[in-house]
Amino acid sequence: MVKEIEKAGITIVQMANLIPVAKTVGANRMVPTISIPYPLGDPQTSKEEQWKLRYHRVGVALDALATEVEEQTVFEV
Amino acid sequence: MKKGILYLNQFFGQIGGEDKADYAPTIQEGQVGAGMLLSNLLEDAEITHTLICGDNFMGSNEEEAVEKLLGFLEDKEFDIFFAGPAFQAGRYGNACGVICKAVKEKFDVPVISSMHKENPGVDMFKKDVFIFKGGDSAAKMKDDMTKMAEFGNKLLKGEKSEGAEAEGYYHRGIRHQVWLEDETPAVVRAIDMLLKKINDEPFTSELPIPELETVPVAPAIALENAKIALVTSGGIVPVDNPDHIQSASATRWGRYSIADMDKLDNRANGAFKTIHAGYDPAAADADPNVCVPLDALRAYEKEGKIGSIHEYFYTTVGTGTTEAEAARMAQEMIEHLKADEVDAVILTST
Amino acid sequence: MKLEIGNFQVQKVEFGKTSSYKDGTLTINKEEALAVVFEDEHITDADLVLTKPGDDVRIVPVKEAIEPRFRLNGGPAFPGVTGKIERVGEGKAVALKNCSVLAVGKHWGSFGDGLIDMSGEGAKYTIFSKLINICLVADTDEEFERREQQKKNHAIRWAAHRLAEYLGSIVKDMTPESTETFELGPITKRDEKVKSLPSVVYVMQPQSQMEELGYNDLVYGWDTNRMLPTFMHPNEILDGAIISGSFMPCSSKWSTYDFQNCPTIKGLYNEHGKTINFLGVIMSNLNVALEQKERAGMFVQQIASSLGADAAILAEEGYGNPDADFIECFRVLEEAGIKTVGMTNECTGRDGQSQPLVTLDESADAIVSCGNVSALIELPPMGTVIGELDALKRDGLSGGWEDDEKLGPSVKEDGSIIMENNSMFCGDSVLGQSVKTMREF
C-alpha cells in the first residue's frame, strides 16, 4: 500500500516495527515503532510514558514527511 | 484449426532495416518471414495474420502504435498471440513486450515471446508475458521459434504449464505449491542442499531471492497547512466491523470518521477494536491509539504543527493479504485521498 | 544421552472392555480413557471417535495432534504439562506408531485450528490423513474465550496430552516390535573421526508470538515467549520436552506429534558420524518486537559460533512477521561463517504473485520451501464430519471465512468447502515431511 500511495504522488511515512519488512516493501520514509501488537505505547508502562512515546514518534513521522530524502531512509527516534 | 497472430518488427517483417525503423503499424494476411516457420510448427493451428511495426515507431509513439495495432485486431478471431523472437535487440524486445501485454489485457489470449536474457525487455515484461529464453542473434531463429511454438501448442491443447524452469521461460514471479513427483521429503532436500553447500558444490535454492522494487521518493511537504491522513494495516475498526473486513487475507478495507474525536475510544467502550488475527489484540483493543495514533496527531493539530487531520482514517488487515489485493485497496483509498485533497499520509503497520 | 523408543505398529484401533494391545490391534476402554480426560473439570463434554485412512471423514476444528507415548521410568510423557518437570531424552520410552490423538473442538474453533480429510482429494494436504486418528471431541466451560478468535484451548489440549500418555501406558510392560535408538554423546568427548566431520546445528524457531501466556509452544512447560535461545539435546525434542501451542495458522503449525517425530532431527541423526557431526539443537523462538528478534539472532549466532558449528539447518514455525526472525538468523549465521540451509513455507497469495517472505536478504541463498499458505483449495463434501464443519467459516480459522464477494462462504450448504491451505492441519510440514515445494509458473 505504501508504494501505491507514494506512486500516486502522496507523500507517506510508514511507522512499523519491522523496519526490514518496511524496506522490503519499498517504503521511502520509515519511523520505527516499539512492537507489533502495540506500535506506539507499551501497555506495561504508565499512560504517561505511553503518551510521551507516541507523541514523540508521531512528531518524528511528521518531520519525516517534511524532509527531502534521496533514498529509503529510516528516521531516528 | 486454431488461429494465431504474430507480431514482427520492420526487419523480420521484411520491410527494411534500420532505415525503416519508423515504419507505421500494418497488418498483413497470412505469414511473413519466420512466421511461416512458426505456422508450420504449430499443430492444428496456423498463423492467420502478421502485425508489422517499426521499432522506432513503437519506441517513440507507443500509445499510438498500440492503439493502431489493437485496432487491427478488433475484428479478428484468434486464440493465441506471438511476438518476436527479439534476441538481443532492445527496442524490439520492448516492442514485443508492449504489444503482448496490451493484447493480453484486451483480448485475454496467451501471449508468447522470446528474448535473450540480456534484452531489457525481459525484466520489464517477464511478469506479463511468457518470454522464452532465447538466443543472442537471428542465427538462433529456428531454436527460439520452436520453443515458442511448442509451448503455444501445449496451451492451445488446454494443457497447463509445468512451470517456468521446466518449460523454459523466464520467471514471471508467480509461485505455487506443487507435489514433487518423486515425493522427496523436505528433510532429504535440506540435508542434500546442506552437504552441497558445506562442500562448496553447486546447489539450487527452492526460493530464489527476488529483486526489490523501489518507487520514486515523493516530495517533502510543508506541515503548517497540510492535511494529514491516518492509514493502517493493523485492522483497527469500529467494534461491529461494519464492512466485514477479514481478519486475514483481507480483500476489504474501510474508512471511518474521526471528525470531532480527540482520540480513538476502545473496545470496552464499544468504539474501536482490532480484527487483525496476526498479532496479540490485547493492547490495541484496550487502546486503539497505540496502533492509530489519533490522540497524538490531534495534539499536533491543536498546536498548529499541521494544518488539519483528514476526517476519515483508512484501515485494512495486513496479515496474509496478497500484494495484489493490497495494491488494489490502496488504489481505491487513493481516489478518496486525492478527492479530499490529502497532502500526506502516516501509515502504521503491525 | 541415549534414548530408546520402543515402537508398536498400530494397524487397527477399536473400543473394548480392556485397554490392551495385541498383534497390531489397539483396544481402548472408552470409560477409562475418558476418565483421564475428565480429570479436568473444565471439560464439560467429551467423546472419543476413531477414524482411519480411507474413511469418508472430515475432521474440523483440529487443535492438536500427539503421538501416544509412555516413558518407562514412570515420569510424565510431557514434563511441565502432564506432570512435574524432569529431564527427558534419556532411557527408554514406548510409542504407538501409525496413530495420533487429535484434540478436536465439538463446536468451537479458533484461529490456529485446522482441517483433515481422511480420504479423497483433500487427503493429500496433510500427513494426518495417513494415520489412524483417535479423536478427542470435546467442549469446555472456558467461556472467556468462547467467542474469541484467539483461544488458548487449554482444557482440550491438556486433556489430549493426558490421553496420549494414557494410551502409551497400555504397552508399557510389553516388548516392543522394534526399537529406534538415538544416541549423541557430549560434544567435546566425541571420537576424532566424528570431530573431523563438518559440524551442524539445527536451529528451531517455534512460535511464541502471543504476549499473554497460554498460547505459545512450551518447553518443559515454560512459555517460549519468555525464553532466550538455548541449547538442547535433540533427544529432548523427540521425547516430549516441547509441546505445540494454540496460535499459529495451521498449515505452518508444528504439532506435538511433529516435534515427537521431528524428521529433520532424525535425518541429521542418520548423517551423524557419516557426513556430519550433529552437535545438537539451538532452540530459539519467534517473538514479535524487532529488538527481540535481533537479540534472539545474537544468541543463536553466539551459541552456534561458540560450539564451532560449520553449518546449520534453520526452520521457522510460521510466516509473516516470523519471516523476519528467519531472515535475521540466516543473516547472522552466514555472517559468522556458518553455512546455513533454511526450511520454511511461503505466502505468495492466492494468485501466487506476492513476495514469498515478508523480508529478504541476499545471504538467504539456500532454502527448502515446503508450501504456500495462501493456496486456494476447493473440496467436495465428506460423508461424516468429526467436530463441527461450520467452525471453518464461523470461528475465524486462518484459512476460512464467513463470506467473500467472489467465493462465498468457506462452508457451503451442501458441505463442500473452499479454504486456504492456511488451515490444513500441519499441512506444510516444515519440520521435514513435506513432499511439496514451490515452483515458478
Side-chain angles (χ1 to χ4, degrees):
Chain A
M1 295 204 303
V2 176
K3 278 197 296 210
E4 293 304 315
I5 293 175
E6 191 145 18
K7 269 195 238 180
I10 301 174
T11 308
I12 180 167
V13 58
Q14 181 165 14
M15 302 188 78
N17 186 235
L18 300 186
I19 292 297
V21 177
K23 281 193 181 147
T24 300
V25 302
N28 284 321
R29 294 177 169 85
M30 294 167 275
V31 172
T33 63
I34 59 166
S35 89
I36 286 174
Y38 36 87
L40 294 164
D42 183 345
Q44 309 269 36
T45 59
S46 71
K47 284 285 176 192
E48 282 309 301
E49 279 165 12
Q50 290 187 51
W51 167 255
K52 268 167 73 170
L53 182 136
R54 185 151 66 247
Y55 181 78
H56 170 66
R57 294 199 187 205
V58 170
V60 173
L62 289 173
D63 290 336
L65 291 171
T67 309
E68 287 293 350
V69 299
E70 306 274 299
E71 51 180 14
Q72 292 185 293
T73 306
V74 180
F75 287 80
E76 295 284 321
V77 290
Chain B
M1 186 67 124
K2 297 240 165 133
K3 302 187 164 108
I5 297 191
L6 173 65
Y7 171 94
L8 297 170
N9 73 355
Q10 79 282 359
F11 178 74
F12 291 100
Q14 301 184 336
I15 302 297
E18 197 51 45
D19 54 314
K20 294 288 186 198
D22 288 307
Y23 183 77
T26 59
I27 182 166
Q28 297 194 27
E29 264 192 45
Q31 301 127 28
V32 176
M36 286 193 268
L37 168 63
L38 176 60
S39 205
N40 287 337
L41 291 168
L42 289 174
E43 292 163 10
D44 211 28
E46 60 176 352
I47 296 296
T48 57
H49 294 83
T50 307
L51 295 175
I52 304 174
C53 179
D55 284 337
N56 281 352
F57 192 99
M58 175 67 89
S60 314
N61 312 291
E62 191 176 296
E63 249 188 78
E64 191 190 330
V66 169
E67 213 189 300
K68 279 202 160 90
L69 291 160
L70 293 181
F72 293 142
L73 297 177
E74 240 151 54
D75 60 339
K76 310 285 182 290
E77 268 178 36
F78 61 104
D79 305 290
I80 193 167
F81 187 85
F82 298 90
F87 312 109
Q88 255 189 303
R91 285 170 299 152
Y92 192 14
N94 176 67
C96 289
V98 166
I99 191 60
C100 280
K101 185 172 174 185
V103 167
K104 180 167 138 189
E105 271 164 26
K106 182 149 189 197
F107 297 97
D108 194 28
V109 298
V111 293
I112 300 175
S113 184
S114 164
M115 297 176 206
H116 184 261
K117 62 180 191 252
E118 312 245 316
N119 192 320
V122 170
D123 274 343
M124 284 162 60
F125 295 101
K126 63 188 178 190
K127 280 186 185 259
D128 309 295
V129 181
F130 288 111
I131 304 181
F132 277 77
K133 296 179 180 170
D136 57 3
S137 77
K140 300 285 193 295
M141 175 63 85
K142 181 144 181 268
D143 286 341
D144 289 0
M145 205 53 115
T146 306
K147 288 186 196 151
M148 286 166 62
E150 279 173 357
F151 190 66
N153 286 330
K154 204 166 178 164
L155 296 183
L156 287 169
K157 278 188 237 169
E159 284 167 29
K160 290 210 150 91
S161 166
E162 276 167 69
E165 291 297 313
E167 304 286 1
Y169 55 83
Y170 296 102
H171 289 190
R172 298 190 296 161
I174 299 175
R175 291 173 68 78
H176 291 298
Q177 67 179 13
V178 297
W179 274 256
L180 288 167
E181 293 84 9
D182 61 11
E183 295 192 325
T184 309
V187 53
V188 173
R189 287 144 44 199
I191 291 178
D192 182 73
M193 197 182 287
L194 187 72
L195 293 173
K196 289 191 167 117
K197 196 168 179 182
I198 288 173
N199 295 317
D200 287 318
E201 287 162 24
F203 62 88
T204 309
S205 177
E206 294 179 7
L207 203 185
I209 301 292
E211 288 147 36
L212 298 180
E213 187 205 344
T214 49
V215 300
V217 184
I221 57 156
L223 291 173
E224 314 84 64
N225 297 315
K227 183 190 285 193
I228 311 284
L230 285 166
V231 177
T232 187
S233 61
I236 300 291
V237 295
V239 288
D240 55 340
N241 192 11
D243 294 296
H244 305 294
I245 301 175
Q246 303 95 329
S247 291
S249 306
T251 57
R252 298 186 204 116
W253 59 275
R255 64 177 200 150
Y256 305 108
S257 177
I258 43 175
D260 304 325
M261 284 184 203
D262 276 340
K263 61 181 179 131
L264 293 180
D265 207 349
N266 65 14
R267 182 180 180 182
N269 289 335
F272 293 95
K273 67 178 185 187
T274 180
I275 46 153
H276 186 303
Y279 67 85
D280 186 335
D285 281 348
D287 185 358
N289 296 283
V290 301
C291 180
V292 176
L294 178 59
D295 57 358
L297 202 57
R298 279 285 178 223
Y300 285 111
E301 188 186 42
K302 290 203 169 89
E303 287 167 31
K305 183 172 173 112
I306 60 173
S308 64
I309 300 177
H310 181 38
E311 61 173 307
Y312 295 98
F313 83 94
Y314 293 71
T315 181
T316 186
V317 165
T319 182
T321 302
T322 68
E323 284 174 42
E325 287 298 322
R328 176 192 56 79
M329 290 194 276
Q331 292 295 345
E332 291 166 10
M333 290 181 196
I334 287 166
E335 278 177 39
H336 290 278
L337 294 171
K338 285 202 154 226
D340 291 338
E341 295 178 321
V342 165
D343 296 299
V345 169
I346 295 181
L347 189 148
T348 56
S349 352
T350 57
Chain C
M1 285 209 320
K2 179 168 154 179
L3 172 69
E4 292 174 82
I5 304 186
N7 293 326
F8 295 81
Q9 307 292 339
V10 174
Q11 313 287 6
K12 186 167 156 200
V13 180
E14 56 190 23
F15 294 120
K17 271 194 17 203
T18 316
S19 287
S20 55
Y21 175 89
K22 188 175 158 72
D23 295 330
T25 298
L26 177 72
T27 306
I28 305 175
N29 174 317
K30 214 197 230 200
E31 280 88 72
E32 249 181 56
L34 286 175
V36 164
V37 169
F38 283 112
E39 276 171 23
D40 180 354
E41 67 206 9
H42 295 295
I43 302 276
T44 53
D45 194 329
D47 193 14
L48 295 185
V49 180
L50 306 175
T51 179
K52 62 188 188 305
D55 282 352
D56 186 15
V57 160
R58 172 164 291 154
I59 318 172
V60 65
V62 187
K63 299 158 190 295
E64 176 64 287
I66 308 136
E67 183 170 80
R69 295 279 184 96
F70 192 81
R71 294 176 56 241
L72 296 187
N73 70 342
F78 308 99
V81 177
T82 55
K84 296 214 305 230
I85 58 170
E86 64 177 55
R87 243 240 324 242
V88 295
E90 201 159 26
K92 297 185 190 199
V94 287
L96 293 174
K97 309 301 290 183
N98 305 324
C99 66
S100 76
V101 170
L102 296 183
V104 182
K106 179 165 177 168
H107 299 296
W108 304 106
S110 55
F111 183 65
D113 296 355
L115 182 143
I116 299 170
D117 272 3
M118 296 301 291
S119 66
E121 299 160 44
K124 70 184 185 204
Y125 291 96
T126 166
I127 62 160
F128 289 90
S129 62
K130 299 203 171 101
L131 302 177
I132 299 173
N133 291 311
I134 299 149
C135 305
L136 167 62
V137 185
D139 203 357
T140 77
D141 67 359
E142 291 157 318
E143 288 306 324
F144 74 95
E145 63 181 25
R146 174 90 56 211
R147 300 279 171 189
E148 294 295 324
Q149 183 176 28
Q150 303 297 353
K151 292 182 168 68
K152 299 181 187 182
N153 290 310
H154 181 97
I156 294 183
R157 292 193 293 129
W158 262 243
H161 283 84
R162 289 196 300 279
L163 182 58
E165 190 170 30
Y166 165 79
L167 294 174
S169 74
I170 291 172
V171 292
K172 69 185 200 304
D173 297 317
M174 298 176 62
T175 309
E177 295 157 10
S178 67
T179 304
E180 277 178 278
T181 305
F182 301 96
E183 185 168 13
L184 213 56
I187 289 173
T188 54
K189 306 280 193 278
R190 297 180 186 176
D191 73 45
E192 289 311 311
K193 183 193 173 236
V194 171
K195 287 206 273 199
S196 72
L197 295 167
S199 54
V200 176
V201 286
Y202 181 33
V203 181
M204 298 178 77
Q205 299 176 309
Q207 101 56 26
S208 61
Q209 281 186 91
M210 294 295 274
E211 309 230 324
E212 190 182 317
L213 300 179
Y215 299 91
N216 302 315
D217 295 4
L218 301 181
V219 173
Y220 288 107
W222 186 254
D223 197 298
T224 45
N225 179 284
R226 309 296 204 253
M227 276 175 62
L228 285 171
T230 188
F231 187 67
M232 290 182 74
H233 194 287
N235 291 0
E236 294 181 277
I237 286 98
L238 299 175
D239 197 24
I242 178 164
I243 70 159
S244 190
S246 178
F247 166 76
M248 184 43 63
C250 218
S251 73
S252 307
K253 181 186 171 77
W254 297 350
S255 66
T256 298
Y257 181 99
D258 292 313
F259 282 115
Q260 291 166 301
N261 286 284
C262 187
T264 302
I265 289 180
K266 291 191 185 184
L268 290 169
Y269 252 117
N270 270 342
E271 298 297 319
H272 176 70
K274 301 179 198 142
T275 55
I276 62 164
N277 177 2
F278 181 22
L279 299 179
V281 172
I282 298 178
M283 186 63 70
S284 185
N285 60 7
L286 289 173
N287 282 11
V288 144
L290 185 61
E291 193 184 274
Q292 291 182 49
K293 295 178 196 293
E294 288 169 346
R295 186 178 293 108
M298 275 165 49
F299 270 83
V300 167
Q301 185 194 54
Q302 179 277 117
I303 295 172
S305 304
S306 299
L307 289 172
D310 297 306
I313 294 187
L314 168 67
E316 61 158 323
E317 183 187 4
Y319 70 93
N321 94 74
D323 292 345
D325 301 71
F326 179 74
I327 292 293
E328 176 64 10
C329 273
F330 214 124
R331 192 182 68 74
V332 298
L333 285 167
E334 289 285 337
E335 204 175 65
I338 297 168
K339 299 189 180 179
T340 304
V341 167
M343 298 176 76
T344 180
N345 55 4
E346 297 178 29
C347 179
T348 62
R350 294 173 190 174
D351 57 6
Q353 295 186 48
S354 290
Q355 190 176 288
L357 302 179
V358 305
T359 180
L360 306 161
D361 191 279
E362 290 171 331
S363 60
D365 63 353
I367 294 180
V368 167
S369 189
C370 301
N372 182 12
V373 309
S374 331
L376 211 53
I377 301 171
E378 281 185 70
L379 293 170
M382 297 293 272
T384 306
V385 173
I386 297 177
E388 187 160 292
L389 190 57
D390 267 5
L392 176 64
K393 78 172 199 290
R394 177 196 63 213
D395 296 342
L397 274 65
S398 62
W401 50 85
E402 188 79 63
D403 200 8
D404 180 280
E405 292 87 4
K406 283 189 243 169
L407 307 170
S410 278
V411 178
K412 315 284 181 201
E413 295 270 327
D414 66 352
S416 60
I417 58 178
I418 178 161
M419 60 185 282
E420 278 189 3
N421 181 38
N422 222 338
S423 281
M424 277 300 179
F425 189 74
C426 303
D428 294 332
S429 307
V430 171
L431 286 179
Q433 302 95 316
S434 178
V435 295
K436 295 185 297 184
T437 186
M438 292 289 281
R439 199 168 275 169
E440 291 278 343
F441 275 91

